[in-house]
Amino acid sequence: MTQDEVLAEFRASGALLEGHFRLSSGRHSAHYLQCARVLMNPDRAARLAIALAQQIPRDLRASIDAVVSPAMGGIIIGHEMGRALQKDAMFLERPEGKFHLRRGFALEKGAKVLMVEDVVTTGLSSREAIAAVGEEGGKVVAEVALVDRSNGEADLGVPFFPLVALNFPTYAEDELPEELAAIPVTKPGSRA
């Protein structure tokens, strides 16, 4: 899938939003990618997961034992990646603020894990999720995401294979352009 084809999927599903958004990272943006909307159609989600799986080098793909994603945003694409790779898919939750596996999910000691995210902006959630996998006994060998919004700056500590890279500007609270500050803020992400 080309970047234009991926963006067409986002536009067709109403997943590319414009306004004033506070992202999960705490930064602000005039654009938001609502991946839940692009993934709500199972056929589209499967197509995107297959395209994403093809981003991973073949030898690395063959070494993966399990797929893990952080709740909430990564659950659907993580599940579809599990299907595409024919591996079990599980997700991390953070009901008390720190990621961990629940619901009977467990990793075998030393399991090679593919971390799956919907969007990476600063990489904070990814780094927290990667650390949690280590605490659960696994080892993240790579991460994939539908979208890299980091301008290539997110250091996840593992190889990173996004489907597309979009460079919408983001701003700290005290750096907001006047035109963005004039629009009421919406917080559509999963982090409280």
Side-chain angles (χ1 to χ4, degrees), residues 10-143:
F10 274 85
R11 286 187 184 99
S13 63
L16 180 55
L17 308 176
E18 294 184 355
H20 179 184
F21 305 97
R22 182 175 295 122
L23 307 174
S24 295
S25 64
R27 295 186 61 82
H28 294 250
S29 179
H31 298 90
Y32 186 79
L33 295 163
Q34 183 54 270
C35 288
R37 289 213 31 105
V38 79
L39 297 171
M40 72 182 182
N41 177 280
D43 291 335
R44 180 182 290 125
R47 281 194 308 274
L48 291 169
I50 290 167
L52 192 51
Q54 292 170 347
Q55 300 297 308
I56 307 166
R58 183 169 291 154
D59 59 331
L60 183 57
R61 195 168 55 224
S63 74
I64 295 167
D65 297 315
V67 171
V68 175
S69 56
M72 280 292 298
I75 291 177
I76 296 171
I77 191 62
H79 183 268
E80 289 299 325
M81 284 300 296
R83 181 191 322 265
L85 297 172
Q86 298 182 324
K87 302 294 178 184
D88 285 344
M90 51 195 95
F91 55 89
L92 297 158
E93 298 176 80
R94 55 173 157 205
E96 293 88 32
K98 186 176 176 189
F99 279 126
H100 57 96
L101 293 173
R102 300 178 63 206
R103 303 175 194 272
F105 292 146
L107 292 167
E108 290 191 22
K109 186 166 177 51
K112 293 180 181 174
V113 172
L114 176 67
M115 183 61 62
V116 181
E117 272 275 24
D118 56 351
V119 178
V120 172
T121 302
T122 64
L124 176 61
S125 289
S126 294
R127 288 187 301 274
E128 291 172 351
I130 289 167
V133 166
E135 291 172 12
E136 298 282 352
K139 178 179 179 4
V140 174
V141 295
E143 177 164 334

